Amino acid sequence: MNEGHPAHAVGDSGTIRRFHSPARSRIIRPMARQKQKPEGMPRPVAGVTDGTGDFSPRNARDALWLGAIFVLALLARVIVLWQLSRNNPGFFDPTVDSRWHYLWAKSIAAGDWLGSGVFYRAPLYPYLLGIWITLFGDGLWPIRLAQAVIGSLSAVLVCLIGARGFGRRVGITAGLIWAIYGTMIYYETELLIEVIVVPFTLLAIWLAMREHGQTPVRLWRWLTVGIVVGLTAIARPNILLALPAFWMWSWTPADRPSRTRRERWSGPLAVTLGALLPIVPVTARNFMVGNDPVLISYQGGVNLYLGNNPKADGLTMSMPEVTLDESVEWNEFVRTTDSIASALAGRSLRPSEVSSFWTRRALAYMTAHPLAATWGILKKTYYLFNGYETGDQTDIYAYTRYSSLLRRLIWHFGIYFPYGLIAPLAVLGIPLAWRVSSRTRPLMVYTVLYALTVIGFLVTARHRLPILPMMVLFAVAIAWTLVEYMRTGKTLKWLVIGGVVAIHLFVFNRPIVERIMANPTFTLYQEALTLDRRGDYAQAVEVYEKALAIDPSHLASLRNLAYDLVRVKEYDSAVAVSFTYMRHRSSDAEVINNMGLAYLGKGDTGKAEGCFRIAVRTNPNLGQPHLNLGDIARAREQIPVAVQHYAAAVAGDSAFAPAYNALALIFTAAKNYTEAIRLLKTATAHAPGSVTSWANLGAVYLENGQPLPAIEVLGKALLLQPLTGAVRVNLAVAYVRADSVEAARAQLQEVLKHEPQNATALRLIAKIDSVLGAAH
C-alpha cells in the first residue's frame, strides 16, 4: 500500500530528498529505496489503503457502484414509507418534536418568516421545511419522500468518504451498510433535525477530505467547507465543538512540510470564516427580534443541566425543578424552565441569561458532587456504545411493527442489530483512523469531539446519529483488516483482535439500557395521543386504558384519559380517574382543571368553579382555568368579570391564544373592531400556529368591511389547516366582496369536495352561478 504522499516520485525507485554537500550549497539527488517507514508517515495497516481507491465520476464502474448504493437506499426508504403509511395510524399526524417542527414550518409558510423572540432551538430544519411547504404544500408523503432522497444521497457520501480515507472496498461496503441502516431510515421518516444534520455533516467531511493536501491551497474551497459546517451548526450547534477536525484537514501539511506559516493558517481561517457566514444572520436576527445577541439558540444551558443534575439518568429529560412526562409539550417545557430560571434568579432573565443560569446550575452540581457527576459521565460513555437504540420520540423496537422491512433492519436477538454489531468493531477502528494517514486522522478527532458533546448532555439514538456514519466506516475498516489477517495467515493477530471484538460484543449488548428504557406503555400512550389529535376520543380512551392496564401509575395516560372521558361525556369516570391521578401528584393544576370540566359537564357549576379557582391558585400562569372562569362569567353575562379572567390568562401565558380569541369575541360583539383586531394580531404574533386566531381575525376584518386584509389572513389559516370548511366559506365571501367571483367559486368548490352537503357553500355557489349566468 502507499505509505503517505511523497513530495516527488522518481519512477518506482524511491523519493527525492534535499541535503547539503561540501562542494555545493544545494544538490538534489535521488536516494535509494528506503526499507523503513519514513519519519512522520503512517504505518501500514492490513485491509485498508490511504485513499488509493478513491472514486472517479468519469469511471463507469464507479458511477455504477454509486448509483447502485443510491438506488438501494432509496428503495429501502420508499418501501418503509409505504408500509408505514398503510399500517401506522400516526403516519399523517406527527407527534412530539416532529409535530413541533411541522407546526413551526407551517407558521413560517403562513408568513411568519421572522418569528418572535430568540430562537430556543436551532432554526435551519423548520425553515427549510417551511420553504418546502410554501413551494409544494404541506403533504407529509412528499416531505418524507424528499427526506428519503436526501438520506439516499447520504449513503453515497459515506461511500465516497470511506473510499477516499480507507480504500474502495471499505467505501463500497460502508455505503451499502448505510443504505440499509435501519435506525437512520426510521429517523428519516420523522420530521427531525437529523434529516439534514447527517447529510450536511457528511458533505462537509467529504469536501474537506477531497481538498486535504491539495496544492496550491484553494481558499474558496475551504471557505465552502466552512459554510457547510456553519449551515450544519444552525441545525445542530454541537458541530462547532468539532471544528478542530476541519482545521486539521485544512492545516495538516501532509507532503508539504515546507509550507509557509501563512499557507498553514489560511485554510483554518477560511474554514472559520465560512462557518460564521450562515451563523451571523441568525445572531443578528436574534438581536433584532429579541434584543439579545444569542449566537444560534439558547437551549444549550438547560440541555446541559438535563444531563447533569441530581435526577439525571443520562437517557431521558429529568430535572428536580420540573415534573416531566410524555404529555409535556415543548413550548410548555420552554416557558416553564424560563420562568423557573427567572424566579430563582429573582429577576426577569433574557434568553442568553436563562441559558447561562442553567449552565451554572449544571456546573455547580458537578463541582459539589464530583463523584456522582463522574459516575454519570462514565454511565453516559457506556450508553454511547451500548447497542440498544434509545428512542426519544417512541420505542423504536415497538415501532418496527408497522413495517416488515424495518423489522428486519432493527432487531434484538442476542445482539441489538445494527448498532450492537457496529459499535464493538468501531471502538477498535477508531484508533485505526489515526494510523492510516493524515487524511483520516481528523475523522477520529471529529468522532471523539462530537461524542463528547453527546456524553455531556443526553445519550439517545437520535443524538448519536451524527457520528454513526464514522462508526460504520471504522467498523468496516477493522472488519476488512480482520479479513486480510485471515487471508494472509496472520492467525495470532486475527485471534487477538477477534477476541477483543467478541468481548466488546458481549459488553455492549448487555440489556442494561433496555431495562431502563423499554416502555410498552409509552408506545400505547403515543398511539392514543394520535387518536386524540384526530378527534377519535372514544378509541383513544380504549388505548389509554390498555396502557394503564400495563402500568396503572403512568401519569400521562391518566391525565389524558381523564380529559378524554370529559370529551365523551363520561363525567363520573373522568372525576374518578382525576382523583386516581391526584393520589400520585396532588398539585397538578391541569388535572384539577380537567376535574372542573367534568363537574361542569355534570351540571355542577359550583364544584366546577371551585376546581378552576384551585387550579388558578396552584398555577397562576396556567391559562385554561382562567379561560374557564371567564366562560362561566360570560355565560352569566358578567362581562367585566369575564374580561378580567381572560386578561389574567394572557398575562400568565402570552402565547395562550384561546384567551385572546375569547376577548376578541367580546369586543366584536360590542362592535369594537379595532380592539378585537389588535387582540387577534397579538394572538397570531405570540402563537402563529393558532388556526383559530387567523380565522377569527379574517372574520373580524370581514365584519368590519375590510375584504382584502381578510383574504390575506384567511389564506394563512388555510396554509395551517387546509380542510377547514368555515374558513374557506369566509374566504369565498371576502373574494366576492373584493369582486373576485371566480376565486370565490373555486374556494366553495373546494369545500364541497370534502363536505358535499355544506348548506352555506351550496347556497353561496348557487348565488354565484346565478350572477355569472345572468352576466352571460
Side-chain angles (χ1 to χ4, degrees), residues 594-614:
N594 291 344
M595 190 183 298
L597 290 175
Y599 282 124
L600 198 62
K602 292 175 66 175
D604 193 337
T605 307
K607 283 186 178 179
E609 192 171 2
C611 287
F612 297 145
R613 294 190 183 281
I614 293 171

Side-chain angles (χ1 to χ4, degrees), residues 370-388:
L371 292 179
T374 302
W375 177 240
I377 293 294
L378 292 174
K379 284 196 301 182
K380 287 188 284 186
T381 303
Y382 172 74
Y383 297 157
L384 182 73
F385 295 104
N386 187 271
Y388 184 82

